[in-house]
């Protein structure tokens, strides 16, 4: 169990053999799971830099930003 003052560290994340980690998008108020997608190290880096959730599309082999085409983003 984490201690209260333990800080989150990116180096503690466990990526799979393909270099991916699941990312779960959850409603902040209801806690409902809205979607599950995957991130690699670069999409995680882009997410932190842009302050917008960036995923890696395994089927299209490209990065995509949540809501970029649908407009479905949270504030």
């Amino acid at each position: 169990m984490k201690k209260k003052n333990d800080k989150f560290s990116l180096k503690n994340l466990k990526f799979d053999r393909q270099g991916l980690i699941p990312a779960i998008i959850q409603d902040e108020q209801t806690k409902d799971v809205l979607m599950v997608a995957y991130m690699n190290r670069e999409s995680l880096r882009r997410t932190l830099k842009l302050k917008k959730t960036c995923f890696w599309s395994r089927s299209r082999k490209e990065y995509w930003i949540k809501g970029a085409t649908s407009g479905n983003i949270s504030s």
Side-chain angles (χ1 to χ4, degrees):
M1 188 163 145
K2 281 191 135 198
K3 296 176 187 171
K4 188 175 180 178
N5 58 358
D6 281 352
K7 289 190 177 186
F8 171 76
S9 175
L10 295 177
K11 63 184 172 184
N12 292 332
L13 295 176
K14 306 287 187 220
F15 292 86
D16 69 12
R17 283 180 264 143
Q18 289 88 30
L20 301 171
I21 193 165
I24 300 167
I25 304 300
Q26 189 174 22
D27 185 285
E28 184 177 17
Q29 294 178 356
T30 67
K31 307 301 183 210
D32 289 342
V33 173
L34 304 175
M35 67 174 279
V36 177
Y38 288 87
M39 291 180 153
N40 59 18
R41 291 183 191 279
E42 176 60 18
S43 61
L44 183 54
R45 185 195 69 75
R46 291 178 186 204
T47 295
L48 296 171
K49 180 180 179 184
L50 300 172
K51 307 283 191 243
K52 295 181 180 180
T53 309
C54 181
F55 298 106
W56 172 250
S57 171
R58 297 175 295 162
S59 60
R60 296 187 315 263
K61 307 286 190 239
E62 66 183 18
Y63 296 100
W64 61 279
I65 295 175
K66 175 73 176 117
T69 56
S70 69
N72 188 6
I73 57 171
S74 62
S75 48

